[in-house]
């Protein structure tokens, strides 16, 4: 029973463990989905969800995904060095054969370095991301790589190359019907002076898409770029309106990079309309925020920290391997000791079991012999009891026969007395010599049968002697019985009938029945109890 209880408990434990694991897995997936959905609408919230997912999961792929989303959110908020640090941590986790994540992480690192002004590093990382995306045939990430490469070329004023990469990305995204990235490509095609009317149509299309997607960050960038296009067209009032919209949206999501761009474009517009005070204020705000964002020292510190971490990791890995070797050696030694101890324990257990089995066999033999002896004793006792019972039965039969014989004798005596009475009646009519002769005949007849009374008394005495043990038991159980009741019980014990007892005692059957009734009362028997059966049971 205990074994089945243990199995049942184990099964329940496993089921609850699996259920708990599944619940945790679903929660992590939900956090990652929320982080992706709120990335362009609320980057702060997206970073929060990504951090929670990173802390709760132990799966490497999910950790990398969490860090990737967190880095994107930090970049959108203008925290480029924090985003790069997260991306370096993610890169350290990527397995050697996972080319897909390498392409995604290197692509994000390239645009972050571009935002910090390190264009050489940005192009180098973008080339690696492009190569890994092509190896994996990952068209979605390849389109993002092309898009980021176009942005890098914008920063270094290579507009023709930028447009080429943006069109490549747009072609892939339109084929994949990826609205979010289509809007990003359309927006980026408007980052440099070109065909203004066409660019305004593109940016308007991007605004519609991002408004439907509730992508606040992207929408603020779209309005920024639209304001710049209006500036190129010298539509300054319209430019100020859309730039104000862009500033409000960027402030709402905390997008420092877009706010910097907004300060720059606003300063250009206000300077064009002659409001130099306002333009100066925007330039001061731009300088202050740019100093806060642009931090090459912090970036170098991030890279140095990552290098130190890698060195520390290598040292820890070397120490870990040494420890593993020592632990493995210790485990081998422990395993050897355990095997030897286990073998000795098994041998000891087998010897102990053998000794116990031997003792058990000896005990079984002894018990068997004892049972045989007890069986023989019981058999002898049964034989002895049977012999005693047969002897008792024989005695009872002998007594019964003797009593019956004497009862017959008494009947014969009564017949003799009846005969004598008849002879005496006959003598009433006789006289003289005939009477004397008749009397002599009666006398001879009486002499012939005069020993009957002695025989009768001897019979009764013989019955009493044979039943002395019974009489003792009877008087011990019923001490108030009279001598006559004891005598009657003795005669009933030898199974004499009422008529036979009457003949033996010289009384009538009616008297015997009355005496039987009195004996039942003295023995305190109920009407259902059999008198003879009770007497024989004593």
């Amino acid at each position: 029973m205990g074994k089945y209880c243990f199995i049942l408990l184990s099964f329940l434990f496993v089921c609850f463990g699996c259920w708990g694991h599944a619940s945790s897995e679903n929660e992590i997936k939900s956090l990652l989905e929320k982080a992706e959905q709120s990335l362009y609408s609320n980057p702060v919230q997206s970073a929060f969800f990504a951090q929670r997912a990173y802390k709760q999961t132990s799966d490497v792929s999910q950790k990398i995904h969490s860090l990737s989303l967190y880095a994107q959110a930090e970049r959108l908020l203008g925290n480029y060095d924090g985003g790069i640090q997260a991306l370096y941590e993610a890169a350290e986790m990527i397995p050697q054969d996972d080319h897909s994540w390498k392409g995604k992480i290197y692509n994000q690192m390239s645009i972050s370095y571009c935002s910090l002004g390190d264009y050489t590093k940005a192009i180098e990382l973008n080339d690696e991301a492009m190569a890994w995306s092509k190896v994996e045939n990952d068209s979605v990430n390849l389109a993002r790589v092309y898009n980021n490469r176009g942005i890098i070329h914008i920063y270094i004023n290579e507009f023709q190359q930028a447009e080429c990469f943006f069109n490549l990305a747009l072609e892939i995204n339109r084929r994949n019907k990826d609205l979010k990235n289509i809007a990003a490509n359309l927006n980026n095609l408007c980052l440099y002076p070109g065909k203004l009317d066409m660019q305004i149509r593109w940016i308007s299309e991007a605004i519609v898409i991002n408004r439907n997607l509730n992508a606040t960050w992207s929408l603020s960038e779209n309005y920024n770029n639209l304001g710049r296009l209006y500036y190129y067209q010298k539509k300054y009032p319209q430019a100020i309106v859309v730039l104000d919209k862009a500033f409000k949206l960027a402030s709402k999501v905390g997008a420092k990079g877009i706010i910097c761009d907004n300060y720059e474009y606003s300063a250009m517009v206000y300077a064009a309309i002659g409001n130099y005070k306002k333009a100066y204020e925007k330039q001061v705000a731009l300088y202050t925020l740019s100093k806060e964002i642009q931090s090459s020292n912090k970036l170098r510190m991030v890279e140095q920290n990552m290098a130190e971490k890698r060195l520390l990791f290598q040292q820890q890995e070397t120490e870990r391997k040494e420890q593993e070797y020592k632990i493995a050696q210790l485990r081998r030694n422990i395993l050897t000791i355990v095997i030897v101890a286990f073998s000795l324990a098994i041998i000891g257990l087998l010897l102990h079991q053998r000794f116990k089995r031997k003792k058990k066999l000896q005990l079984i033999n002894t018990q068997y012999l004892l049972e045989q002896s007890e069986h023989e004793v019981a058999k002898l006792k049964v034989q002895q009891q049977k012999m005693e019972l047969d002897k008792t039965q024989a005695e009872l039969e002998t007594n019964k026969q003797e009593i019956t014989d004497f009862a017959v004798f008494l009947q014969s005596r009564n017949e003799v007395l009846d005969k004598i009475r008849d002879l005496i009646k006959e003598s009433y009519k006789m006289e003289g010599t005939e009477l004397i002769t008749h009397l002599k005949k009666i006398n001879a007849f009486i002499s012939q049968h005069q020993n009957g009374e002695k025989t009768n008394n001897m019979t009764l005495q013989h019955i009493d002697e044979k039943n002395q043990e019974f009489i003792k038991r009877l008087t011990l159980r019923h001490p108030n019985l009279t001598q006559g009741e004891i005598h009657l019980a003795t005669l009933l014990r030898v199974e004499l009938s009422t008529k036979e007892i009457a003949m033996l005692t010289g009384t009538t059957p009616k008297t015997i029945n009355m005496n039987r009734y009195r004996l039942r009362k003295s023995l305190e028997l109920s009407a259902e109890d059999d008198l003879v059966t009770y007497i024989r049971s004593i």
Side-chain angles (χ1 to χ4, degrees):
M1 184 66 182
K3 179 182 177 182
Y4 294 118
C5 289
F6 175 77
I7 292 171
L8 179 60
L9 288 173
S10 300
F11 175 73
L12 291 174
F13 177 77
V14 170
C15 288
F16 282 119
C18 292
W19 178 80
H21 177 73
S23 300
S24 176
E25 190 72 19
N26 290 336
E27 184 180 356
I28 293 165
K29 287 180 179 178
S30 175
L31 288 170
L32 292 173
E33 287 174 3
K34 289 178 181 178
E36 284 187 352
Q37 290 169 1
S38 60
L39 184 61
Y40 289 96
S41 58
N42 192 343
V44 175
Q45 193 176 54
S46 177
F48 171 74
F49 288 136
Q51 279 184 314
R52 279 189 60 187
Y54 177 80
K55 290 177 181 177
Q56 291 185 22
T57 186
S58 58
D59 182 75
V60 174
S61 180
Q62 288 180 337
K63 278 188 174 292
I64 296 170
H65 193 185
S66 303
L67 289 169
S68 170
L69 290 170
Y70 176 78
Q72 290 182 67
E74 289 296 302
R75 183 177 64 80
L76 295 178
L77 293 169
N79 183 15
Y80 302 115
D81 52 337
I84 288 176
Q85 185 169 350
L87 291 171
Y88 270 115
E89 289 181 17
E92 292 289 335
M93 295 182 184
I94 299 173
Q96 288 296 324
D97 56 346
D98 194 342
H99 303 150
S100 177
W101 270 119
K102 285 181 181 178
K104 294 173 184 176
I105 297 300
Y106 290 153
N107 183 40
Q108 287 181 239
M109 292 173 75
S110 72
I111 195 63
S112 296
Y113 272 101
C114 176
S115 300
L116 291 169
D118 193 342
Y119 306 118
T120 304
K121 184 75 172 178
I123 291 173
E124 179 186 332
L125 289 166
N126 187 269
D127 286 339
E128 287 193 46
M130 194 181 300
W132 289 122
S133 298
K134 288 179 178 178
V135 167
E136 287 294 304
N137 196 23
D138 186 351
S139 62
V140 174
N141 194 58
L142 185 60
R144 291 171 183 166
V145 172
Y146 287 151
N147 184 69
N148 288 346
R149 186 58 170 268
I151 292 172
I152 296 169
H153 285 294
I154 290 288
Y155 273 90
I156 57 179
N157 297 319
E158 294 176 352
F159 303 128
Q160 189 174 355
Q161 292 92 326
E163 185 173 357
C164 178
F165 280 109
F166 287 145
N167 284 325
L168 285 173
L170 183 61
E171 182 183 351
I172 294 172
N173 288 324
R174 286 194 185 280
R175 190 164 59 243
N176 292 336
K177 297 180 181 180
D178 188 344
L179 292 177
K180 183 173 69 174
N181 286 313
I182 288 171
N185 298 147
L186 292 171
N187 176 79
N188 295 336
L189 283 166
C190 303
L191 292 176
Y192 54 90
K195 299 176 183 178
L196 295 178
D197 292 337
M198 179 66 72
Q199 288 176 317
I200 287 176
R201 284 199 297 273
W202 287 339
I203 202 71
S204 298
E205 183 183 352
I207 288 172
V208 171
I209 293 172
N210 286 320
R211 188 182 290 130
N212 289 331
L213 293 175
N214 195 28
T216 307
W217 186 94
S218 300
L219 199 58
S220 65
E221 187 182 36
N222 296 154
Y223 280 126
N224 250 1
N225 291 335
L226 181 58
R228 190 173 61 171
L229 293 175
Y230 282 142
Y231 167 77
Y232 292 146
Q233 287 185 330
K234 298 182 179 181
K235 296 179 179 179
Y236 304 125
Q238 293 95 319
I240 290 173
V241 171
V242 295
L243 286 172
D244 284 342
K245 285 184 180 179
F247 180 79
K248 290 177 182 177
L249 292 171
S251 299
K252 182 179 179 182
V253 296
K256 294 179 182 179
I258 295 177
I259 293 173
C260 281
D261 292 339
N262 186 270
Y263 285 148
E264 182 185 354
Y265 302 155
S266 297
M268 290 164 55
V269 173
Y270 282 119
I273 62 177
N275 191 346
Y276 301 110
K277 181 181 179 182
K278 196 73 172 176
Y280 176 74
E281 290 174 357
K282 295 293 182 180
Q283 285 289 352
V284 171
L286 171 62
Y287 176 77
T288 304
L289 188 57
S290 296
K291 291 292 287 184
E292 181 183 339
I293 294 174
Q294 295 290 343
S295 177
S296 59
N297 289 334
K298 289 177 75 176
L299 178 59
R300 299 284 83 81
M301 190 179 296
V302 169
E303 293 177 342
Q304 185 178 353
N305 288 338
M306 294 307 299
E308 289 176 356
K309 281 185 179 180
R310 281 194 291 271
L311 178 61
L312 181 61
F313 176 76
Q314 289 176 354
Q315 291 175 348
Q316 290 175 345
E317 189 69 14
T318 304
E319 291 175 1
R320 185 182 64 81
K321 288 182 179 178
E322 289 178 358
Q323 290 293 331
E324 284 180 354
Y325 175 75
K326 291 179 181 178
I327 290 170
Q329 191 174 18
L330 182 61
R331 283 177 178 169
R332 283 197 298 271
N333 294 337
I334 292 172
L335 183 61
T336 304
I337 293 170
V338 168
I339 290 171
V340 171
F342 184 73
S343 301
L344 292 174
I346 292 293
I347 293 169
L349 182 63
L350 291 174
L351 290 173
H352 178 67
Q353 291 291 338
R354 183 180 176 187
F355 176 75
K356 281 179 68 177
R357 192 162 52 249
K358 187 177 179 181
K359 286 292 183 185
K360 189 175 181 180
L361 287 172
Q362 288 178 352
L363 181 62
I364 290 170
N365 260 340
T366 305
Q367 287 178 342
Y368 175 74
L369 293 173
L370 182 61
E371 287 174 0
Q372 287 293 104
S373 301
E374 289 175 352
H375 180 70
E376 290 295 327
V377 170
K379 189 175 179 182
L380 290 172
K381 283 183 179 179
V382 170
Q383 289 178 354
Q384 184 180 1
Q385 289 174 355
K386 185 178 180 182
M387 289 173 65
E388 289 176 355
L389 183 62
D390 290 343
K391 182 180 178 182
T392 303
Q393 189 68 30
E395 289 176 354
L396 288 174
E397 289 296 330
T398 303
N399 291 341
K400 183 178 179 182
Q401 187 61 42
E402 289 177 353
I403 292 170
T404 302
D405 291 343
F406 280 110
V408 172
F409 171 77
L410 288 176
Q411 185 178 4
S412 176
R413 183 196 64 175
N414 290 335
E415 290 176 356
V416 168
L417 290 175
D418 290 340
K419 182 69 175 174
I420 291 171
R421 186 168 52 251
D422 291 340
L423 289 173
I424 291 172
K425 285 181 180 180
E426 288 178 6
S427 66
Y428 292 160
K429 300 176 182 180
M430 295 181 182
E431 295 179 359
T433 306
E434 185 182 1
L435 179 58
I436 293 170
T437 303
H438 188 69
L439 289 172
K440 287 180 179 180
K441 182 179 177 182
I442 291 172
N443 183 50
F445 186 79
I446 291 171
S447 298
Q448 184 180 356
H449 298 281
Q450 66 182 353
N451 293 325
E453 187 68 27
K454 292 181 180 179
T455 305
N456 184 35
N457 291 334
M458 287 175 67
T459 301
L460 293 174
Q461 185 179 358
H462 181 70
I463 291 172
D464 288 341
E465 289 174 356
K466 290 287 186 178
N467 291 277
Q468 282 302 313
E469 291 296 325
F470 165 72
I471 291 170
K472 286 180 182 179
R473 293 194 298 273
L474 180 65
T475 52
L476 185 64
R477 187 179 295 186
H478 301 283
N480 296 325
L481 292 178
T482 63
Q483 191 62 39
E485 289 172 341
I486 294 171
H487 187 62
L488 177 58
T490 305
L491 294 175
L492 289 171
R493 185 172 183 271
V494 294
E495 298 184 359
L496 292 179
S497 65
T498 301
K499 189 175 180 181
E500 290 172 342
I501 295 171
M503 288 193 310
L504 188 61
T505 57
T507 57
T508 63
K510 185 177 180 181
T511 303
I512 297 302
N513 284 332
M514 183 61 68
N515 291 340
R516 282 172 66 106
Y517 174 75
R518 290 193 185 108
L519 178 60
R520 287 180 66 86
K521 288 188 66 177
S522 298
L523 296 175
E524 299 178 353
L525 298 179
S526 64
E528 291 80 14
D529 295 327
D530 183 70
L531 177 60
V532 177
T533 302
Y534 176 74
I535 289 171
R536 289 182 64 82
S537 68
I538 297 175

